[in-house]
Each structure stands twice: as C-alpha cells, then as structure tokens.
Amino acid sequence: LMKFILVFTICAQMYQHCLPPTSHKEVYTTHYECATAGYEIAQEMLVQMGQNRVNNDQIVIAFACEPKMDI
C-alpha cells in the first residue's frame, strides 16, 4: 500500500528566499487526507506567524504529498 508524507516549503517572497523543505511527522493513508491536512496546517502556520510578518515578508507556504511505499 502507498502512504503519503506531507512536505512543506515556506518562502518569503519579499526576499526571494525559501527555507529548506520540511516534512510533517504524520504519515497519511490517502492522498486526499494528506492534501486536506496540508491546507489546514499551512493555514495554522500563517496564523501563528501573524498578519504583520506574513504581510511584511510576503510569506507563502507550498506543500506536496510525497508517496512513501509501505515496506
């Protein structure tokens, strides 16, 4: 069975700089679970950073659901 790992990339468009991708610790059993969690977690991250930082640095968060083959 294939499972998925959520990988985030946080970028500050203001500085044209992205942090190295980081993977979330949870493993998802479907792509749908991974994708919906990605949006929820990305939104939580933006809220934690706060409007001022997000606006000033023009923060964007991208994510991918990378397949992980079950062994």
Side-chain angles (χ1 to χ4, degrees), residues 11-57:
C11 299
Q13 293 184 139
M14 182 70 159
Y15 306 108
Q16 297 182 349
H17 175 75
C18 295
L19 295 173
T22 56
S23 54
H24 195 255
K25 54 189 168 256
E26 190 165 343
V27 175
Y28 299 91
T29 55
T30 67
H31 184 270
Y32 177 84
E33 289 175 356
C34 180
T36 55
Y39 286 109
E40 291 173 10
I41 295 166
Q43 182 178 17
E44 289 171 15
M45 292 171 144
L46 290 173
V47 169
Q48 287 176 357
M49 288 181 209
Q51 285 188 35
N52 286 339
R53 180 174 178 202
V54 172
N55 285 330
N56 291 339
D57 296 345

